[in-house]
Amino acid sequence: MGFYFRGLRRANIFCSFMFMLCLLLFCTNMAWAGGSDPTGEHTFAMDFRGVDMSEHFVWVLLTGFTILFMQVGFIFLGGLLQAKNVLSYMTHCFLATTLGALIYLGAGFALMFGGFELLGQHFGGGNAFIGWSGFLLLGGSYDVRIIIMFLFQAVIATFIGSIIAGAVAERMKLSAYVISFFFIYIVIYPLYGHWVWGEGWLWNLPFGVGVRDFAGSGVVHAVGGTLAFVGALFLGPRIGKYSKDGTPGFFPGHNVGYMVIGTVLLAFGWLGYDAGSTLAAGDLRASIVAANTFIAGAMGAVTVLYYTHLKTGASDIGEACNGFLAGLVAISAPCAYVAPWAAVVIGFLGAIVYMTNLWFVEEKLKVDDPLGAVSVHGANGLWGLLAIGIFADGSYGGVSGLITGNGGQLLSQFIACVVALAWAGGLGSLMFFILKKTIGIRVSERVESEGLDINLHGSPCYRLQTEAALGAEMEGAEEGAEEQKNTEILEAAFAKDAKREKIYSEKLGIWITAKPKESDK
């Protein structure tokens, strides 16, 4: 009972602390709540008849809804996993969509965009390293302009968890995955995002125009892919992935068709993601952004498809799908700053980066990444950042790369790559190390062998298939029992004849009492 009451007191202390924290945040936000516009009336009046502003809102809302739909695509990528672990992977993606968004609401958004200005509304306070306004969207953040920004950024933030889920699939504890979210969505992702998208110190580097990342090759994919690599590294490979000599094995996916469906759904959402990052319905550059996005993705898919055909004689559609995604990741940062011909090159090189990194991670580093998330998102996120410094033609935002004779922009983009690797890799390693030494991050060998779905979630993803296998197992058991019964009857009959001896039956595989042949005498 003493343990129970001590636990109850700790729970009360924790709840009291959280209540006081929320109250403090509410009071600090109320200090600048006077300028907020929760009804939208003031915002509507800022333009002629409010028409232009209304169009911006409709554009950002619709593209935000499209981005959320991309999670369906991430879920379908689970077709490349074993059937016994699909529900576990889907749960991870679902938690990224829900729990990840709530944590981002509580603190991540404020730390990432505090001090930012959107559609004429200055978003509280912040400096070059961190924001500190808008926790729980209280106070002055109770404004239609700030909240539409939150919605758009929250659905993007959910990608981080789904990217990591692909690399740690089929062996990570759900508890460790959930706890990691608090560190990822409060510290790692928001702070790097503030440095770039929140117009922090990386945005304001003195080389070129500073770091630019239009739709998240670095902020989302490089950071998420680096965390995915660290997670897979600390977990270790799945049972049976590598032979004794280090040769990697292959786990066939249970439904490659799901992978194709998921890729097309992701591509559809990606068009809204990149084009919607203009955050303005009147920005006609959105047409070039969308076209570049589609071109680069298509080029990445075709490149990988032909490569696998030339290498193996078979066109690997699963790998081609990852090639498509690699091209989409690579173009996300430069999509607004380059011409369509450059999108072709970026997509082609994105496919090369994907295949090379996949070989290096799996063959040389011996890191098991079931869905290729590290190569698709991590490696191509870095490539996308660098591509701006090479191919930006100066036609948008004043961003010019090497093709215009400007090397300063490439230097800024390179610094962003180094910072992403050091920040996400360093803090990610610390996070997974602490989790591994405390609660553990990997399921037991028994759970991994039997499947995470039935052990962690109490249900298989495909019940009909499981029931069919169980039925076959029961039928086999019944046949074995019937055979054993017949053997016992036969032995009992033989035992009644005193002339019979105990001999070994090769046919039955057991010792029985039988009458020996005359030749054996």
Side-chain angles (χ1 to χ4, degrees), residues 41-113:
E41 293 180 5
H42 175 68
T43 303
F44 185 81
M46 291 176 63
D47 274 322
F48 177 69
R49 298 181 182 176
V51 173
D52 290 342
M53 192 64 71
S54 298
E55 290 178 350
H56 295 332
F57 271 68
V58 172
W59 171 250
V60 176
L61 283 173
L62 288 179
T63 52
F65 302 159
T66 304
I67 295 169
L68 179 60
F69 192 67
M70 292 174 68
Q71 282 293 352
V72 180
F74 274 113
I75 290 172
F76 269 105
L77 298 187
L80 285 189
L81 301 175
Q82 300 173 84
K84 64 183 180 179
N85 299 316
V86 177
L87 189 60
S88 173
Y89 168 76
M90 290 182 174
T91 302
H92 286 186
C93 292
F94 185 72
L95 285 172
T97 310
T98 52
L99 178 61
L102 288 176
I103 298 173
Y104 188 71
L105 163 68
F109 180 67
L111 298 172
M112 190 167 177
F113 287 100

Side-chain angles (χ1 to χ4, degrees), residues 160 163 192 196-197 211-228 270 273-274 322-335 346-347 349-355 357 372-390 410 412-421 424:
I160 297 289
I163 291 170
Y192 185 83
V196 181
W197 284 350
V211 173
R212 293 296 181 266
D213 183 0
F214 192 77
S217 290
V219 174
V220 178
H221 300 284
V223 169
T226 301
L227 289 170
W270 223 295
Y273 171 22
D274 286 3
N322 268 347
F324 200 154
L325 299 178
L328 293 173
V329 171
I331 198 62
S332 289
C335 57
I346 292 170
L349 294 177
I352 302 300
V353 168
Y354 162 70
M355 291 182 289
N357 191 78
V374 175
S375 303
V376 169
H377 299 278
N380 272 285
L382 298 173
W383 161 233
L385 283 176
L386 295 176
I388 294 178
I390 300 172
L410 182 59
S412 282
Q413 302 302 125
F414 177 75
I415 292 173
C417 291
V418 173
V419 172
L421 286 172

